[in-house]
Amino acid sequence: MLVEEIIRNNMRYNKNGNIYSFIQDEEERPLWSQRLNNYFINSNADLKMTEKYKQNKLRINESAYKRFFDYISENEGIGVDLASGPSGYFSPALDRLSENYVFIVTDACPAVINAHSSACDNPNFYVFDMDLDKELPFKNESVTAFSGNLLNNVDHYADLINEAYRCLKFGGRFAVIEMFFEHGCKTYEYLNNQGAVWASFETFVEYCRNVGFVYKDSEIINSRKGKISDGDLFPLDDNDCSTDRMIYFEK
Ligand SMILES: C[S@@+](CC[C@H](N)C(=O)[O-])C[C@H]1O[C@@H](n2cnc3c(N)ncnc32)[C@H](O)[C@@H]1O
């Protein structure tokens, strides 16, 4: 399966090994990715991606994760992970790579891009350096599945969902792991007023349905009251509750 066959005809990009860079000018990098990159450089961080891939692959033993990775890799074609980030959470998908199942990870942080590029040398694995707040570089109805883990740092999450829909084949799959706030709590009210699609599970599903997706199912994998760490921006109130869920959609 040739990855270049799904790239739109008018796209400009540079190739370097398994890295395809769609960001031609450094000033085009999203701020969040620039900040993260500066943090990694200034702290001399080693992302230890090979180790993270190994650790995350063990998660396939948890039924919720097995289901998630089965869902995105069951059908032949090209799977794309959105804003893949430094966690390497997607690594169970790499055990399924073949000539008939190609996986592309995406991000705009150079340190993250390089860490993924070096951690997997399978010829059916690619790393796309691209801005997810812009139109995706894929042709209409070309991608088999999109996945994502905690995508709320992407500024235009709602537009990204529309773009994923455009690029997915009919019958294609969209599965995300996302943190949602309880409908009606202070953080929900604030995020909903800002137009954030991830304000609650209900707002997210409603938005995706309006885009055209068919909601299949979801599974709660974690729930909590208050912040995860002291420095977190959300929730705005220590009494606000949130849940992490896996959500499954189909085009
Ligand atoms: C909190 S992480 C998302 C979590 C990630 N999926 C993981 O499992 O590690 C945010 C990542 O999204 C990337 N990102 C944020 N905005 C982006 C954008 N507009 N385009 C591409 N990547 C972006 C950042 O560079 C960062 O690596």
Side-chain angles (χ1 to χ4, degrees):
M1 200 152 312
L2 285 178
V3 78
E4 277 154 40
E5 282 175 8
I6 70 161
I7 297 176
R8 276 159 50 192
N9 295 332
N10 57 348
M11 293 307 301
R12 289 174 56 220
Y13 56 91
N14 301 322
K15 280 198 290 183
N16 182 8
N18 60 5
I19 301 179
Y20 283 50
S21 186
F22 295 82
I23 297 180
Q24 303 275 307
D25 178 346
E26 284 308 305
E27 286 176 7
E28 288 175 10
R29 273 192 200 287
L31 265 186
W32 214 95
S33 300
Q34 285 183 30
R35 284 199 197 111
L36 186 64
N37 201 48
N38 289 339
Y39 166 77
F40 287 141
I41 290 171
N42 295 336
S43 59
N44 245 334
D46 175 356
L47 291 184
K48 297 194 166 74
M49 204 52 81
T50 308
E51 192 51 40
K52 285 183 189 165
Y53 281 7
K54 248 189 231 159
Q55 289 301 323
N56 281 306
K57 280 181 182 185
L58 301 177
R59 287 197 133 166
I60 209 69
N61 297 323
E62 297 169 38
S63 62
Y65 281 88
K66 181 173 184 312
R67 183 181 177 198
F68 186 88
F69 291 106
D70 282 349
Y71 191 74
I72 60 164
S73 62
E74 223 157 42
N75 296 331
E76 289 188 352
I78 300 188
V80 176
D81 187 62
L82 300 166
S84 304
S87 75
Y89 91 98
F90 57 78
S91 70
L94 305 182
D95 284 340
R96 293 144 187 238
L97 291 173
S98 74
E99 274 182 14
N100 297 323
Y101 181 66
V102 168
F103 200 66
I104 302 173
V105 299
T106 64
D107 208 278
C109 171
V112 169
I113 294 288
N114 292 331
H116 290 308
S117 166
S118 327
C120 179
D121 62 1
N122 188 303
N124 302 305
F125 174 72
Y126 296 88
V127 187
F128 278 22
D129 177 19
M130 56 186 259
D131 183 354
L132 293 156
D133 282 316
K134 296 193 171 149
E135 285 179 3
L136 296 179
F138 310 112
K139 291 179 181 165
N140 293 356
E141 289 137 40
S142 61
V143 174
T144 305
F146 281 101
S147 54
N149 177 44
L150 303 172
L151 299 179
N152 58 49
N153 298 107
V154 172
D155 284 340
H156 302 294
Y157 198 163
D159 295 341
L160 178 58
I161 294 171
N162 274 285
E163 274 294 280
Y165 187 83
R166 173 184 69 75
C167 300
L168 269 184
K169 291 179 177 174
F170 287 100
R173 293 172 171 191
F174 176 47
V176 284
I177 304 171
E178 198 54 82
M179 178 170 80
F180 299 108
F181 290 93
E182 202 173 44
H183 204 266
C185 77
K186 283 185 189 158
T187 310
Y188 160 79
E189 294 295 348
Y190 171 82
L191 290 172
N192 198 40
N193 284 338
Q194 306 277 313
V197 287
W198 56 283
S200 73
F201 169 67
E202 292 82 1
T203 53
F204 191 84
V205 171
E206 189 191 350
Y207 184 82
C208 292
R209 277 190 167 138
N210 286 337
V211 166
F213 280 110
V214 176
Y215 167 74
K216 303 297 278 187
D217 200 8
S218 79
E219 193 166 348
I220 294 178
I221 51 170
N222 215 342
S223 52
R224 68 186 72 77
K225 190 174 180 179
K227 293 185 192 321
I228 301 177
S229 328
D230 281 348
D232 289 352
L233 203 57
F234 298 116
L236 300 176
D237 190 291
D238 286 343
N239 290 314
D240 286 359
C241 296
S242 57
T243 51
D244 299 335
R245 291 187 192 238
M246 291 173 166
I247 310 195
Y248 299 98
F249 296 97
E250 197 175 284
K251 175 168 172 178

